[in-house]
Amino acid sequence: MKKDSIVRDTLILTVITLIAGLLLGLVYQITKEPIAQQEESAKTEAYKAVFAEADSFESIVEAEDADLSAYLEQNGFSQSINEIMEAKDASGEVLGYAINITTPEGYGGDITFSLGVKNDGTLNGIEILSISETAGLGMNATKDDFKNQFKDKKAEEFKVTKTGAQSEDEIDALSGATITSRAMVGGVNAGLCAFRYVEEGE
């Protein structure tokens, strides 16, 4: 009798597990496309934020580009370039590039953002898409006071300072969030490296 009870309970648990697995798979399938569409929409809005003067965007480098990954690695970058878009005006003229970047160096993990770079290498701005830093500290990277430090700046490479920016290539660190500041600056530098990769390829 006891043996029959164990077998019955095992069968019940197996059936429940199978049903739960099927339901989870169904929910994933239902939500996968809307989530992907939402992410794509957010990315497009970020591109517009860093290149408001652009009329359209055309992808020229997508994720998993082996040549770009090798180029970044050769230049000492561990960040990922998810996509590079040409930013074009209404006549189709290329104004510069909108670059989607993920840096793994944030205090709370990955930070994904978009960077606008004009044809002459001047930054057009940054817009953060995904960030999980500490509230009141690293999350201040999403505020204009921090983001606007990059706008209209031109440098081969940026660096973080805690003593007040004195030159074009210096970015003031967020108070109490040096790691986040360095992660963002490192990501921007990786984006500039990707910009040079595109320019050299033309």
Side-chain angles (χ1 to χ4, degrees):
M1 193 71 180
K2 191 173 180 182
K3 186 176 179 182
D4 290 343
S5 177
I6 292 171
V7 171
R8 187 181 67 248
D9 290 347
T10 301
L11 286 171
I12 290 169
L13 283 171
T14 302
V15 170
I16 290 171
T17 302
L18 285 170
I19 291 171
L22 287 169
L23 288 172
L24 282 172
L26 183 62
V27 169
Y28 172 74
Q29 289 300 323
I30 291 171
T31 58
K32 181 173 69 171
E33 190 171 334
I35 289 171
Q37 288 175 348
Q38 187 177 9
E39 289 175 349
E40 193 63 30
S41 177
K43 195 163 60 172
T44 301
E45 289 302 312
Y47 288 151
K48 289 178 180 176
V50 299
F51 246 113
E53 60 270 44
D55 187 70
S56 64
F57 298 91
E58 182 180 329
S59 178
I60 57 168
V61 177
E62 297 182 352
E64 309 302 327
D65 185 292
D67 291 337
L68 174 55
S69 296
Y71 185 85
L72 288 167
E73 190 175 341
Q74 286 167 12
N75 285 276
F77 293 103
S78 61
Q79 293 81 357
S80 299
I81 303 300
N82 306 314
E83 190 174 50
I84 302 178
M85 308 284 280
E86 282 183 336
K88 298 181 177 182
D89 65 14
S91 68
E93 183 180 347
V94 177
L95 303 172
Y97 304 92
I99 305 169
N100 184 265
I101 304 155
T102 297
T103 174
E105 298 173 343
Y107 184 79
D110 289 351
I111 302 173
T112 298
F113 66 97
S114 291
L115 169 72
V117 188
K118 296 178 183 178
N119 286 329
D120 67 351
T122 301
L123 297 191
N124 221 27
I126 63 171
E127 186 67 20
I128 295 175
L129 283 156
S130 174
I131 184 170
S132 302
E133 301 298 273
T134 307
L137 297 172
M139 286 302 289
N140 288 333
T142 63
K143 294 184 176 181
D144 288 341
D145 284 349
F146 180 75
K147 294 190 297 182
N148 287 343
Q149 290 189 82
F150 296 95
K151 191 172 177 61
D152 298 324
K153 295 282 185 69
K154 185 178 180 180
E156 187 79 10
E157 189 170 277
F158 290 91
K159 57 189 175 185
V160 175
T161 178
K162 295 182 181 180
T163 56
Q166 301 293 323
S167 59
E168 187 88 348
D169 65 347
E170 290 186 330
I171 300 295
D172 284 326
L174 291 163
S175 179
T178 305
I179 292 174
T180 307
S181 305
R182 287 176 177 159
M184 289 302 302
V185 167
V188 168
N189 288 337
L192 287 171
C193 184
F195 166 73
R196 291 191 290 273
Y197 168 82
V198 172
E199 290 289 285
E200 289 172 12
E202 291 185 347

